[in-house]
Amino acid sequence: MVDLRALRSNYRALAKVVGRARVAGIVKADAYGLGIAQVVPALTAEGCDTFFVATADEGMATRRAAPDARIFVLNSLFSEDAAALFASQRLTPVLNGATDIALWERHCAKPGTDKSCAIQVDTGLNRLGLTVPQAIAYAADNALTRAIEPVLLMSHLACGDERDHPLNRKQLAAFNAVRAAFPGVAASLANSSGLLLGREFHLDLVRPGIAVYGGAPSSSVTMKTVVTAEARILQVRRAQAGDVVSYGATQVLERDSLIAIAAVGYADGLLRSSSGSGVPMRALRPGGFGAIRGQRVPILGRVTMDLTMFDVTDLGPDTVLPGNFIQLFGPDLPIDEAASAAGTIAYELLTGLSRRYTRFHVGIDEATGA
Ligand SMILES: *Cc1c(COP(=O)(O)O)cnc(C)c1O
């Protein structure tokens, strides 16, 4: 279930934190798995008019949901054809290097072309973007030729979720040096955790993703729960102390137990690394769990492709029945905890929810359709 009211409330809370800076919607990977078609109208209803996606396909889906918005596509242009597609869909490319710039310049040489683009600068992540000296040199070139029209200058933080990491200030300083070379161009640096680092990180536009979707942007801040993932229990069985559970017989029961078999497995996105035993992660982490009526129930043995076993002994006999639901994360089990038990982060749990899940969106406003 996806609670669009909670999502809108999270967006508003972040907008309040940043004050004058605008808040973009980050809807790459189908809005972190939640659905571009539903998330984009919900954010639009909150006044969001700028979106970021990773691919041109995602840009087209966002365009269908937001006819008038500015849509930035983060991953590079590959070819002349891509440039034509960007133009026809009114997508704004994020140029990440000299090759992208050359392609976009060539495209913009045709008279009457919309030349707007974003320029990404790498200030320390070593992912995508022009280097700082490259960007400053290009600013001088383009000021003369006006070959393209940058409408946004952006960079991305490597350690925004570590408040005191020295790289944050280093990246900000490098980015400010580039900004000075692009006067009048809007600037954006902060993601969810970055916007909590202080006003000087807000600049003109912030780009929160995970916090809007309910993940904690830092260990001291919680957001409203947006996504609840649940699985149906197919069967409840009794087993004796000394019996084993699941593949590899890695889990040996220490007591007579009640086991709930839930219709969820790694093919649904319940990571095998959240197994109760029998995968190497178990040496490092306590193993995953679910929640039934607010009570935690541990995963027993290995998560399998389509089924997972949970220890419901402590809930008592005849209280858990086939057809009941078990929560994998949601209000009773924060997504960041579920992620940590699987040795990963909330981002991976959300984007890994497979097509098998039926996605229910609640809080769609009848009047606006958003
Ligand atoms: C994914 C992404 C974001 C959003 O990051 P969160 O940590 O989810 O807030 C912002 N900017 C860029 C460039 C991204 O790739």
Side-chain angles (χ1 to χ4, degrees), residues 24-49:
I26 311 300
V27 294
K28 58 192 183 185
D30 200 22
Y32 289 38
L34 278 56
I36 280 178
Q38 292 81 16
V39 167
V40 168
L43 294 178
T44 303
E46 290 299 329
C48 179
D49 62 0

Side-chain angles (χ1 to χ4, degrees), residues 150-277:
V151 294
L152 182 74
L153 192 64
M154 61 176 286
S155 188
H156 195 46
L157 295 169
C159 308
D161 55 346
E162 293 174 56
R163 242 199 119 62
D164 300 319
H165 200 292
L167 194 50
N168 293 326
R169 302 236 144 241
K170 240 177 109 177
Q171 286 193 261
L172 177 61
F175 191 52
N176 282 335
V178 180
R179 280 174 67 212
F182 287 88
V185 178
S188 175
L189 177 62
N191 65 336
S192 298
S193 52
L195 70 83
L196 298 173
L197 295 174
R199 292 184 62 120
E200 61 277 44
F201 286 84
H202 298 163
L203 306 175
D204 301 301
L205 180 75
V206 295
R207 309 189 306 269
I210 197 70
V212 173
Y213 302 119
S218 87
S219 51
S220 58
V221 178
T222 54
M223 307 301 296
K224 281 199 179 151
T225 298
V226 174
V227 184
T228 305
E230 291 180 309
R232 197 187 288 276
I233 293 168
L234 297 179
Q235 201 174 75
V236 181
R237 52 197 303 133
R238 289 179 182 283
Q240 265 71 61
D243 284 358
V244 299
V245 184
S246 197
Y247 290 130
T250 59
Q251 183 99 49
V252 182
L253 295 177
E254 288 166 5
R255 56 176 180 175
D256 293 352
S257 302
L258 270 179
I259 304 173
I261 322 299
V264 65
Y266 57 77
D268 302 274
L270 179 62
L271 295 177
R272 191 168 173 276
S273 57
S274 64
S275 294
S277 67

Side-chain angles (χ1 to χ4, degrees), residues 56-125:
D57 278 358
E58 294 167 1
M60 286 158 71
T62 303
R63 175 57 72 217
R64 284 194 286 281
D68 303 320
R70 169 78 77 183
I71 301 170
F72 290 105
V73 181
L74 290 162
N75 291 4
S76 301
L77 296 170
F78 289 108
S79 64
E80 209 92 45
D81 293 350
L85 172 69
F86 276 64
S88 74
Q89 292 284 320
R90 290 174 292 123
L91 304 176
T92 309
V94 175
L95 308 180
N96 292 306
T99 314
D100 290 349
I101 287 180
L103 266 172
W104 195 244
E105 281 188 341
R106 205 170 324 139
H107 169 77
C108 292
K110 292 165 219 138
T113 315
D114 177 0
K115 299 178 177 182
S116 41
C117 59
I119 292 185
Q120 176 149 232
V121 187
D122 192 284
T123 52
L125 181 62

